[in-house]
Amino acid sequence: MAILIDERTRVVVQGITGHQGSFHTGQMIEYGTRVVAGVSPGKEGQEVKGVPVYDTVEAAVEKHGATASVIFVPAPFAKDAVLEALEAGIKLVVVITEHVPLHDAMEIMARARLKGATIIGPNTFGVISPGKSKIGIMPNQIYTPGRVGIVARSGTLSYEIAASLSQAGFGQSTVVGMGGDRVVGLSFIDVLKMFEQDRETEAVVLVGEIGGTAEEEAAEYIKGMSKPVVAYLAGKHAPPGKRMGHAGAIIERGRGTYQSKVEALEAGGARVAALPWQVADLVREALR
Amino acid sequence: MKFFEYMAKEVFRERGIPTPRGRVAATPDEAARVAEEVGGPVAVKSQVLAGGRGKAGGIRFADTPDQARQVAADLLGQEVRGYRVERVLVEEKLRIDRELYLGIAVDTGRKLPLVIASVHGGVNIEEVPEKDIVKRPVDITLGLYPYFARGIARRLGLEGAVARQFADLLTRLYRIFRDYDAELVEINPLVISGDRLIAADGRLNIDDDSRFRHEDLPEVSEATELERRVREIGLSYVELDGDIAVMANGAGITMATIDVLTEYGGRAMNFLDAGGGAAVEPMAKAMAVLVSTNPKAIFVNIFGGITRCDDVANAIVTVKRQQGIPVPLVVRLVGTNEDKGVAILREHGIEAFRDMGEAARKAVELARQGGER
């Protein structure tokens, strides 16, 4: 089953003629993703990696039945691109673009809510259901199909954890990158709910970090989950008042600390790993 | 990007939000002149990007221009909450009848702007009991209408002229929030003086990612000189106070690297995120900066996804050849093109680790030995 995407998902790449767009279109096709069309205004008629390019998302939907979109459009134009996808009836939009303005992100989310669509990102590595499909920029080789779901705020750290899970023999059902920004489409709770209902997922790994209160809110939901949750959080030793790369990763006025997140998650029944490579051990324990 | 108080108030003034009379001064004499213009008692407020200035002695009062000169001389050049005072804001001292709190922030859970208001102003909003705070999200697709603002005035128990002014002021404040791509706009305290409402303090924090829409705005940076140098290369950098220089790829893994070093008894000197797909040249430049900070050890922790391990290896080798790496270097390198990367490093006498924990332990050990030298 997997969540969000599977082998039938038909993907349109917005910004397909750009450097990142064309490279990752190739990577996605190699992985088996059904990339059916690309969009680059003014470049209709071209082809990228054998994929036809159109001026509008509407054309990609009409001609190829695209159901999901991935955005590789530069930040100043990302909002326009997402709104176009929503208008064309796309129900899943993955926004890889980083540095999308906060107010643009809020407007995007409001529109998506109205259209009943799901946004992943901005500033995300995307979503992958190993062996079925991937929409995003994650490396192909580290994932194996299996029964552990992963939801993460950060890219490379989640690669690290996915790779160590694969090595320990735990494949993944779906891996979702929420994005490192403050305003993103999916919350931990949204994704945990999907994993809870997914028959192929037996345990969930939550990769969080300091800043905000998303992990604390997730902890409340975890209390009622039937599946075990293992968490790892980055930023235990980050000083307050300093933004550690991600827009959301900052301890301000004592909010969003490592300690409060760990306490909440443990109170919610999650096992929290102190070091990244301990996640696999805790998953083994949880599934015993 | 945070605006100084005086800059926030300039914006308020332009947009019709009442502020105290006065302006910013950079010297004691200038402060005296402003006090003269204002006439009567003044407040002299150090302009730093930190909260809690009042408690830290950063806000003083003066009855005469001479006193204002003296107070300004005291404050200028001082450190308040870790920031050097380079300017003071000299303003009329307000007669305060009541203090309110009014702010607009981003509610990351609801993904909407959130108006926050309270009849308890003048203190940190976190200290106000939740039941005394009015919080209402704004539908960003609609905007903030006067009826919405009147509703909040009513909830706060404001009446008559004050209620009318409050609603007008909040509508204007929301326009500022939107027009400036703000993360936060705050008036604390919003003072009731007789039948007037006045923004006695002001905060305006602007989203850095919206910079391309606001090229006309001034640049206010909290970054240190070193942070500025690395950020100019296009990488994310934060100075910390340890002795092991850190470079990793991705914000999450860089934070995790710092955590692991600390757990093993080491201390990171910095947070350097070389990014998801860092290229050879910026990475080499960043490495060169790390070397120049003279750490006791350098720890490079790369999980190659889009970042290719051979690119990382080439960056390291470039720096080694061009300027030398005179401190112990520990490299952990796995992922895309790992074999190529490891081979390049080996040719140049650098061993790469596969295991993050083992590598971190080694870095801590080497830094410790370096300290005993």
Side-chain angles (χ1 to χ4, degrees), chain B residues 22-147:
Chain B
R23 63 188 161 80
V24 74
T27 65
D29 283 345
E30 206 181 334
R33 273 201 303 281
V34 181
E36 186 98 51
E37 285 164 26
V38 171
V42 290
V44 182
K45 307 172 81 178
S46 42
Q47 296 297 289
V48 289
L49 296 171
R53 282 175 309 174
K55 282 182 196 155
I59 300 175
R60 311 265 195 88
F61 298 96
D63 289 327
T64 65
D66 264 349
Q67 265 181 26
R69 179 185 291 112
Q70 238 165 36
V71 169
D74 279 354
L75 288 174
L76 288 164
Q78 288 277 352
E79 279 216 351
V80 173
R81 301 248 145 153
Y83 289 92
R84 206 182 133 83
V85 181
E86 280 166 10
R87 291 182 198 82
V88 291
L89 178 60
V90 182
E91 290 184 334
E92 68 175 303
K93 191 178 170 195
L94 297 172
R95 198 197 88 204
I96 297 171
D97 294 326
R98 282 174 70 190
E99 294 184 328
L100 311 175
Y101 173 94
L102 180 62
I104 306 171
V106 174
D107 183 332
T108 54
R110 289 193 186 91
K111 301 155 198 173
L112 289 172
L114 185 71
V115 174
I116 305 162
S118 173
V119 288
H120 302 291
V123 296
N124 196 336
I125 190 71
E126 267 75 26
E127 292 161 20
V128 177
E130 196 66 25
K131 66 172 177 50
D132 293 339
I133 301 177
V134 179
K135 287 184 178 175
R136 287 188 65 185
V138 181
D139 181 337
I140 196 163
T141 57
L142 278 180
L144 190 154
Y145 280 81
Y147 78 84

Side-chain angles (χ1 to χ4, degrees), chain A residues 99 102-103 107 156 160 185 235, chain B residues 111 182 207 209 249 259 332:
Chain A
H99 300 300
L102 190 56
H103 284 233
E107 288 178 50
T156 325
E160 175 94 36
Chain B
K111 301 155 198 173
D207 173 20
D209 288 335
N249 63 325
D259 292 346
R332 185 265 184 149

Side-chain angles (χ1 to χ4, degrees), chain B residues 151-186:
Chain B
I152 291 181
R154 181 174 168 269
R155 292 269 297 276
L156 292 173
L158 304 178
E159 289 171 342
V162 169
R164 274 199 302 279
Q165 284 176 58
F166 179 89
D168 176 63
L169 187 149
L170 173 53
T171 327
R172 290 172 191 271
L173 198 66
Y174 184 76
R175 284 267 35 111
I176 293 172
F177 178 78
R178 289 289 281 155
D179 290 349
Y180 281 80
D181 274 288
E183 299 171 349
L184 173 76
V185 53
E186 189 180 78

Side-chain angles (χ1 to χ4, degrees), chain A residues 68 120 152 168 264:
Chain A
I120 301 180

Side-chain angles (χ1 to χ4, degrees), chain A residues 193-225:
Chain A
K193 276 184 185 161
M194 293 180 218
F195 279 135
E196 174 74 2
Q197 279 156 22
D198 177 33
R199 270 177 293 151
E200 286 182 4
T201 301
E202 285 174 2
V204 184
V205 174
L206 182 157
V207 184
E209 61 194 28
I210 52 157
T213 52
E215 288 82 359
E216 285 89 335
E217 284 150 25
E220 281 302 308
Y221 178 76
I222 290 171
K223 278 182 190 160
M225 276 179 76

Side-chain angles (χ1 to χ4, degrees), chain A residues 24 75-76 99-104 106-107 109-110 113 137 139 141-142 154 156-157 159-160 163 167 182-187 190 209-210 232-239 242-246 249 253 255 275-277, chain B residues 106 108 110-113 124-126 140-141 177-178 181-183 186 203 207-210 212-213 227 236 238-240 249-253 255-256 258-260 262-264 271 303-306 332 335-336 354 356-357:
Chain A
H24 289 291
H99 300 300
V100 172
L102 190 56
H103 284 233
D104 290 5
M106 287 193 282
E107 288 178 50
M109 302 316 160
R113 207 156 12 200
I137 59 173
Q141 69 278 12
I142 59 172
S154 55
T156 325
L157 184 56
Y159 305 165
E160 175 94 36
Q167 223 163 35
R182 277 160 297 176
V183 167
V184 290
L186 286 179
S187 68
D190 295 330
E209 61 194 28
I210 52 157
Y232 173 77
L233 307 172
K236 182 177 185 182
H237 297 288
K242 299 261 189 187
R243 184 172 287 175
M244 307 302 271
H246 282 161
R253 301 178 181 187
R255 272 166 48 103
L275 298 164
W277 53 89
Chain B
V106 174
T108 54
R110 289 193 186 91
K111 301 155 198 173
L112 289 172
N124 196 336
I125 190 71
E126 267 75 26
I140 196 163
T141 57
F177 178 78
R178 289 289 281 155
D181 274 288
E183 299 171 349
E186 189 180 78
R203 253 197 220 209
D207 173 20
D208 289 324
D209 288 335
S210 72
F212 65 88
R213 287 201 275 253
E227 286 173 353
S236 178
V238 178
E239 253 182 284
L240 305 173
N249 63 325
I253 202 172
M255 274 190 277
I258 292 167
D259 292 346
V260 171
T262 314
E263 293 292 310
Y264 286 167
F271 167 102
F303 194 103
I306 308 176
R332 185 265 184 149
T336 309
R354 287 211 82 247
M356 178 169 166

Side-chain angles (χ1 to χ4, degrees), chain A residues 57-252:
Chain A
V57 179
E58 198 180 58
V61 170
E62 271 175 21
K63 300 207 160 97
H64 302 278
T67 56
S69 162
V70 56
I71 309 276
F72 286 100
V73 169
F77 315 105
K79 180 172 92 178
D80 178 54
V82 176
L83 295 181
E84 183 188 359
L86 295 174
E87 207 55 44
I90 299 280
K91 292 296 178 202
L92 177 69
V93 185
V94 179
V95 189
I96 306 295
T97 312
E98 35 176 359
H99 300 300
V100 172
L102 190 56
H103 284 233
D104 290 5
M106 287 193 282
E107 288 178 50
I108 287 168
M109 302 316 160
R111 190 72 186 161
R113 207 156 12 200
L114 207 66
K115 292 278 182 182
T118 299
I119 308 279
I120 301 180
N123 190 14
T124 175
F125 59 91
V127 52
I128 180 168
S129 289
K132 292 175 180 158
S133 181
K134 77 159 192 177
I135 305 181
I137 59 173
M138 60 294 274
N140 292 347
Q141 69 278 12
I142 59 172
Y143 302 94
T144 48
R147 299 189 163 263
V148 178
I150 303 179
V151 54
R153 273 165 81 178
S154 55
T156 325
L157 184 56
S158 82
Y159 305 165
E160 175 94 36
I161 285 167
S164 75
L165 283 173
S166 288
Q167 223 163 35
F170 297 107
Q172 304 87 42
S173 53
T174 302
V175 180
V176 184
M178 293 158 55
D181 286 0
R182 277 160 297 176
V183 167
V184 290
L186 286 179
S187 68
F188 279 124
I189 296 179
D190 295 330
V191 182
L192 289 172
K193 276 184 185 161
M194 293 180 218
F195 279 135
E196 174 74 2
Q197 279 156 22
D198 177 33
R199 270 177 293 151
E200 286 182 4
T201 301
E202 285 174 2
V204 184
V205 174
L206 182 157
V207 184
E209 61 194 28
I210 52 157
T213 52
E215 288 82 359
E216 285 89 335
E217 284 150 25
E220 281 302 308
Y221 178 76
I222 290 171
K223 278 182 190 160
M225 276 179 76
S226 67
K227 297 174 185 177
V229 176
V230 172
Y232 173 77
L233 307 172
K236 182 177 185 182
H237 297 288
K242 299 261 189 187
R243 184 172 287 175
M244 307 302 271
H246 282 161
I250 180 170
I251 303 166
E252 261 175 322

